[in-house]
Amino acid sequence: MRRLVTFSCAGETLAGTLDEAPGTTGLLIVSGGNELRIGAHRGQALLAAAIAAAGYPVMRFDRRGIGDSTGCNEGFRASGPDIAAAAAALREHTGITRMVAFGNCDAATALALFHEQAGIDRLVLANPWIVEPSGDLPPPAAIRATYAARLSSPAQWRRLLTGGVNFRRLAQGLATLAKRRPTQTELVRSFTAALTSGTPTDILLATRDHTAVAFLDAWHLRHLTALHHRDSDSHSFARPGDADWLRDRLLDVLSRD
């Protein structure tokens, strides 16, 4: 059964959707960017229904200033109180004794940063956002991966020889690659420090997604997490077969002690 719930956060009212189920382990889904709790292509709503059908209650919510929630949208770096309030609401409405949380992109980053204050027991983080792009270009690691794929493609060589390439953008990309790799940013350091707490964490990566490529290039403490790779270029896991793969990864984590 699916129902709407509301709960308080810092004087504002947050809107959530609860897919009920009898299990004592629940899933909290956190939306990324300015995305509504339904998710891209209704992906989070469909995912919640599938997880609940397997016996695990699931809550999704809009953080302050997004969708049906009141307040000001201050971005993922200020979403700690929202995540804590949603986690408390999930416990209150279901009586669960164990909580897994899932987020994609900057929602994954927010969960890493704020999960302890929310009392979350286990994390599943998809395509975490820890490397900022350079201007209107993707991060250097993503550019390198794109060029490597294109150099192995005869079709791309034909485009180059027949004038089908934007040389201005090509020059911008090459200039970005020529720069030295920057030192670890504050966001990378904060993300890494947050996961040294020992909270069990699984990281899901769409191997051809720019954010995932950049994350993998910057993430050097792989012993802290379990990495799972999906051969997809979809940031939101929207290609054929992606949704089933994502569901199965989450069900595997939810079934663990």
Side-chain angles (χ1 to χ4, degrees):
M1 179 178 177
R2 174 171 288 175
R3 61 187 175 97
L4 300 180
V5 298
T6 58
F7 49 95
S8 298
C9 174
E12 303 294 343
T13 300
L14 303 193
T17 302
L18 176 64
D19 285 71
E20 297 179 307
T24 57
T25 295
L27 177 66
L28 178 67
I29 298 179
V30 178
S31 300
N34 297 323
E35 190 174 82
L36 304 180
R37 63 186 184 274
I38 194 172
H41 315 288
R42 296 185 64 242
Q44 290 181 177
L46 296 172
L47 177 63
I51 297 296
Y56 303 97
V58 184
M59 176 171 291
R60 299 169 282 123
F61 69 99
D62 294 332
R63 72 166 185 259
R64 285 170 292 172
I66 298 291
D68 297 319
S69 296
T70 66
C72 180
N73 176 13
E74 297 184 1
F76 77 94
R77 288 177 173 87
S79 64
D82 306 70
I83 294 171
L90 176 55
R91 290 191 186 91
E92 178 184 349
H93 285 286
T94 64
I96 59 170
T97 58
R98 177 175 174 267
M99 187 181 303
V100 175
F102 166 73
N104 186 37
C105 195
D106 62 27
T109 312
L111 278 171
L113 298 178
F114 305 125
H115 70 279
E116 282 195 285
Q117 67 192 60
I120 292 166
D121 301 293
R122 191 176 189 110
L123 299 173
V124 181
L125 311 179
N127 305 320
W129 176 277
I130 62 172
V131 179
E132 305 283 359
S134 176
D136 63 344
L137 292 173
I143 295 175
R144 285 194 296 272
T146 299
Y147 283 176
R150 288 178 177 177
L151 287 173
S152 64
S153 169
Q156 293 298 329
W157 281 103
R158 284 195 295 272
R159 286 188 66 228
L160 179 65
L161 295 174
T162 57
V165 171
N166 183 331
F167 283 96
R168 178 175 178 274
R169 191 163 181 84
L170 175 62
Q172 287 179 319
L174 292 173
T176 300
L177 290 180
K179 295 178 182 177
R180 295 180 60 187
R181 181 174 295 180
T183 57
Q184 274 200 346
T185 65
E186 182 275 332
L187 186 57
V188 172
R189 290 193 294 270
S190 297
F191 182 92
T192 301
L195 293 188
T196 59
S197 65
T199 301
T201 301
D202 289 71
I203 293 179
L204 313 183
L205 300 173
T207 57
R208 289 177 282 120
D209 167 61
H210 286 170
T211 302
V213 170
F215 168 82
L216 201 57
D217 185 61
W219 181 239
H220 301 299
L221 299 181
R222 301 182 188 183
H223 63 282
L224 294 178
T225 58
L227 297 179
H228 308 268
H229 302 270
R230 171 69 180 174
D231 184 16
S232 175
D233 64 354
S234 175
H235 184 65
S236 58
F237 298 99
R239 297 287 183 261
D242 285 358
D244 291 342
W245 180 85
L246 176 58
R247 177 204 62 212
D248 291 346
R249 300 290 73 71
L250 284 166
L251 287 175
D252 177 61
V253 171
L254 287 160
S255 68
R256 300 177 197 169
D257 294 330

